[in-house]
């Protein structure tokens, strides 16, 4: 693989969610009405949109992020995390009187978790006028689908490529599916969407199914390629899919084709699984290129 991947200056526009994940550990989960004393507390930046925007930016693409934050300290924290990763935040929306999205996560001593996601401002994310031209527009389904559809419509009218990571899986209206050039579900999501053939029949050209440590499969009309994942010792697969989607779009925006971009994205995701967390685990383009070169030796 050559270093030109993800190296030219095509812009990626990510449209999606931003959450503050609040994690408490306790010996066990409380029963309804019960109060327990926990043992640990931590906060992490999250939301598929923010994770993917950080991944795209670290992978070397100029990256803009459309998301909605509350007018609160969590919103300010997430904004500064995006800025620190080089993400252009000029199009972030601030929704007064609405909290920034949160995930309330309780983990017990067996590692089992329960999660309550409160979309907050994410549910109010609206289409935004964007003056910069983007090569690729990337979205997920943690914000209202009509917002995704409208941003894809605008993207296509300007000749940009549209990429949807359909997570969490939700039935997609035919007029939205038709706007997607590339759809990237994991193996559970593709089933919930009715399978690869249904996506092709709906007008999607390229379907990339991610299969965790088993790699990916690329389905295009008359073409099917399975690519193995890079072998690593994974310690935390949180955000692997987000690392894949963000860096794939960075590579596509840089002029690489689907197969080259997919390899770059699998390398990015493999590195991310060797580090804790999602946002902090996203590698830089140079790290990914060194990793690919080392894997080829
Ligand atoms: P999601 O996080 O959306 O469920 P996957 O688990 O399918 O997504 O992971 C996305 C991609 O990340 C995979 O296709 C693979 O390339 C890479 N990946 C995930 N887990 C591993 C792993 N244990 N070892 C190497 N690569 C992995």
């Amino acid at each position: 693989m050559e270093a030109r991947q993800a190296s030219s200056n095509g812009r990626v526009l990510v449209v999606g969610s931003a959450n503050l994940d609040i994690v408490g550990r306790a010996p066990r989960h409380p029963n309804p009405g019960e109060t327990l004393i926990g043992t640990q507390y931590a906060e992490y930046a999250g939301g598929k949109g923010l994770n993917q925007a950080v991944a795209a930016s670290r992978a070397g693409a100029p990256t803009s992020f459309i998301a909605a934050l509350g007018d609160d300290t969590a919103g300010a924290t997430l904004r500064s995390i995006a800025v620190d990763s080089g993400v252009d935040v000029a199009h972030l929306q601030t929704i007064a009187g609405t909290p920034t999205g949160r995930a309330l996560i309780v983990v017990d001593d067996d590692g089992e978790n329960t999660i309550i996601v409160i979309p907050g401002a994410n549910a109010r994310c609206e289409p935004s006028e964007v003056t910069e031209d983007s090569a690729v527009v990337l979205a997920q389904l943690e914000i209202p689908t009509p917002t995704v559809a409208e941003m894809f419509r605008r993207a296509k009218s300007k000749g940009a490529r549209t990429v949807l990571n359909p997570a969490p899986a939700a039935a997609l209206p035919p007029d939205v599916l038709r706007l997607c050039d590339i759809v990237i579900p994991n193996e559970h999501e593709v089933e919930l969407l009715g399978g690869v053939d249904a996506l092709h029949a709906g007008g999607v050209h390229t379907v990339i199914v991610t299969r965790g440590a088993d790699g990916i499969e690329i389905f295009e009309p008359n073409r099917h390629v399975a690519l193995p994942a890079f072998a690593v010792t994974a310690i935390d697969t949180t955000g692997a899919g987000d690392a894949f989607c963000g860096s794939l779009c960075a590579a596509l925006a840089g002029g690489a084709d689907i197969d080259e971009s997919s390899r770059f994205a699998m390398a990015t995701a493999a590195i991310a699984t060797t580090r804790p967390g999602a946002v902090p685990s996203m590698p830089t383009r140079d790290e990914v290129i060194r990793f690919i070169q080392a894997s080829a030796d």
Side-chain angles (χ1 to χ4, degrees):
M1 174 169 299
E2 292 169 27
R4 72 186 164 82
Q5 282 204 341
S7 63
S8 65
N9 284 327
R11 176 170 291 273
V12 175
L13 173 63
V14 179
V15 185
S17 58
N19 287 330
L20 190 66
D21 294 353
I22 291 172
V23 185
R25 274 194 169 263
R28 62 177 176 81
H29 291 278
N31 295 314
E34 187 184 20
T35 300
L36 289 180
I37 304 298
T39 52
Q40 281 176 37
Y41 177 79
E43 294 181 354
Y44 301 101
K48 291 176 191 301
L50 180 60
N51 292 345
Q52 295 183 16
V54 168
S57 177
R58 297 235 181 102
T63 301
S64 304
F65 184 32
I66 293 178
L69 302 170
D71 188 9
D72 51 19
T73 53
T77 303
L78 297 178
R79 177 185 290 267
S80 69
I81 286 168
V83 169
D84 289 349
S85 296
V87 173
D88 180 341
V89 295
H91 303 292
L92 284 182
Q93 302 162 22
T94 303
I95 314 289
T98 304
T100 294
R102 301 284 207 293
L104 308 181
I105 304 171
V106 176
V107 185
D108 71 14
D109 279 350
D110 294 330
E112 286 287 333
N113 60 29
T114 53
I115 304 177
I116 298 175
V117 173
I118 297 157
N122 292 307
R124 308 266 303 271
C125 184
E126 298 203 340
S128 177
E129 287 305 332
V130 178
T131 46
E132 308 89 12
D133 279 337
S134 302
V136 179
V137 176
L138 167 63
Q140 320 76 30
L141 297 176
E142 289 184 333
I143 58 168
T145 306
T147 298
V148 172
E150 180 55 25
M151 291 311 299
F152 276 7
R153 231 170 260 126
R154 292 179 191 184
K156 288 187 82 77
S157 75
K158 291 181 153 190
R161 224 156 168 185
T162 54
V163 181
L164 180 70
N165 173 218
L172 288 170
D175 58 322
V176 177
L177 206 53
R178 258 198 305 277
L179 294 166
C180 303
D181 294 320
I182 302 174
V183 174
I184 311 175
N186 67 17
E187 41 202 338
H188 309 293
E189 290 149 5
V190 73
E191 295 307 320
L192 291 166
L193 290 167
V196 172
D197 290 346
L199 293 171
H200 280 154
V204 178
H205 184 265
T206 304
V207 180
I208 304 177
V209 180
T210 66
R211 299 196 183 281
D214 291 331
I216 60 165
E217 287 183 77
I218 303 171
F219 298 88
E220 290 180 331
N222 303 318
R223 196 173 87 95
H224 171 224
V225 187
L227 299 176
F230 287 86
V232 289
T233 305
I235 60 152
D236 180 359
T237 58
T238 317
D242 294 335
F244 182 91
C245 293
S247 61
L248 178 101
C249 291
L252 289 173
D257 68 19
I258 288 278
D259 292 16
E260 280 179 300
S261 300
S262 295
R263 272 190 210 95
F264 182 85
M266 284 204 297
T268 306
I271 296 170
T273 69
T274 65
R275 302 172 178 173
V279 161
S281 75
M282 301 298 175
T284 63
R285 177 174 164 267
D286 288 348
E287 288 175 304
V288 177
I289 288 170
R290 278 199 302 275
F291 174 86
I292 292 170
Q293 281 163 351
S295 305
D297 290 343

